[in-house]
Amino acid sequence: MSIEVHRFTSLAELSRAAADEVAALITQAIAKRGRAFVALSGGSTPKTMFAELTARKLDWSKVSFFWSDERAVPPDHEDSNFRMAKETLLEKVSQAKAERMHGEDPDLGRAAAEYEAIIAREVPGHVFDLILLGLGPDGHTASLFPGTTALEEDKRLVVANEVPQKKSTRLTFTFPLINAARAVFFLAAGEDKAPALAQILRGEPGVEPAQRVQAARVEWFVDQAAAAVPSSRAGSR
Ligand code: 6PG
């Protein structure tokens, strides 16, 4: 596993650089295998990068978007990760295919199983070319929160995970699926991420969820606020 850390002065600069890397990865995946499979992250950090991505000239008809997690809300809800990506990205690259998680399903176990079946059908070997992830101040990523049962899942690819910290259940990729990816890009910005990020990059225990992401290629795109706490692993930019 290779880990690379890219530090930027601002979220805007981080987003431009990450969009360039995502575009290059998609182009290479299409050239090599005819199609690119990308899982989008939720939350707010990726919004600017998604908007930047729409300006890249790519063969979007050969891109399939998925989501690495989703809240238990309908697709038009303000908290929906699908809605955020639709508004910032998908509406502008309508030729791309998008398979959203059905967070509105009253039976989230069923929704998780259905999504897993779609991945098994659509994504060769369930190996994503890229999985985008964020970082919570507690070290959570996707909807893999500290102390939740999904952290122990070692077979299923997608589960419904009860998250007491959010007083809700969420749909999420599991580590088996995330760690099978060819590449994982984390985007982290803001000083509230700094302590967790420093611990992760120092390899210190205690920030478990994000630290357990061990895909073949892991790249961090962080702003100076998130990188403020010194860590031993030198950045590359
Ligand atoms: C979600 C995300 C979650 C997010 C982090 C960071 O559904 O909220 O998948 O893992 O990436 O909580 O969120 P921000 O980018 O909003 O700080």
Side-chain angles (χ1 to χ4, degrees), residues 41-46 69 71 81 134-136 140-143 170 193:
S41 52
S44 57
T45 303
D69 78 322
R71 291 84 178 275
N81 289 337
L135 176 70
H140 82 258
T141 193
S143 283
R170 292 186 170 191
K193 314 296 173 74

Side-chain angles (χ1 to χ4, degrees), residues 1-4 131 133 141 144 174-186 199-201 203-205 207-220 233:
M1 175 182 83
S2 69
I3 295 186
E4 211 173 340
I131 296 178
L133 292 175
T141 193
L144 299 166
T174 61
F175 288 120
L177 182 53
I178 292 169
N179 289 337
R182 291 188 177 89
V184 168
F185 288 0
F186 281 97
Q199 273 188 278
I200 290 164
L201 298 185
E204 289 170 8
V207 196
E208 196 200 15
Q211 272 173 324
R212 285 180 54 186
V213 171
Q214 320 234 321
R217 172 187 169 196
V218 175
E219 300 204 22
W220 285 85
R233 195 183 297 275

Side-chain angles (χ1 to χ4, degrees), residues 1-34:
M1 175 182 83
S2 69
I3 295 186
E4 211 173 340
V5 182
H6 311 286
R7 287 174 172 78
F8 302 92
T9 53
S10 66
L11 177 59
E13 193 194 357
L14 179 164
S15 303
R16 276 194 298 276
D20 287 344
E21 290 291 321
V22 171
L25 187 147
I26 288 174
T27 301
Q28 189 182 54
I30 292 170
K32 278 188 176 175
R33 291 174 291 275

